[in-house]
Amino acid sequence: VGEFMVLLGAFEVDVPLTVAAGTGLVVAAVYSLWLVQRSFQGRVAEVEGMRDFGGRELMVQIPLALGLVWLGLHPQSVFSLSAPLVDRLTSLTGLGP
């Protein structure tokens, strides 16, 4: 939804740049799906000696997951940090209210 809203707003300002950005989004999505498929459904013989998910990986994954949940539930914490910069940039470019 967020990407769509950004592209919708950008379409009113610069159509060719928005088309390029939309194309980039589609190409990035296709590439990431291809990468995930190759990573998770590749040949088993290529990763026979690899260990399973361990404690070290879990220690990294937990803070990342908690941060993601926090940002999903409380996005205003990031918005309030970036608001002064956004206000300043919009006043410099003349796009603000």
Side-chain angles (χ1 to χ4, degrees), residues 50-54 57:
M50 189 178 288
R51 291 185 353 207
D52 200 6
F53 196 80
E57 291 87 359

Side-chain angles (χ1 to χ4, degrees), residues 34-77:
W34 175 78
L35 182 66
V36 167
Q37 181 201 14
R38 300 258 318 184
S39 297
F40 290 109
Q41 298 171 348
R43 286 183 250 146
V44 177
E46 295 175 7
V47 292
E48 270 183 22
M50 189 178 288
R51 291 185 353 207
D52 200 6
F53 196 80
R56 183 174 54 183
E57 291 87 359
L58 191 61
M59 295 290 289
V60 172
Q61 191 70 27
I62 287 175
L64 291 173
L66 290 175
L68 185 63
V69 169
W70 174 261
L71 287 174
L73 295 175
H74 302 285
Q76 191 60 39
S77 60

Side-chain angles (χ1 to χ4, degrees), residues 11-43:
F11 189 78
E12 296 175 6
V13 177
D14 192 357
V15 174
L17 186 61
T18 305
V19 170
T23 304
L25 283 172
V26 170
V27 169
V30 168
Y31 176 73
S32 65
L33 288 172
W34 175 78
L35 182 66
V36 167
Q37 181 201 14
R38 300 258 318 184
S39 297
F40 290 109
Q41 298 171 348
R43 286 183 250 146

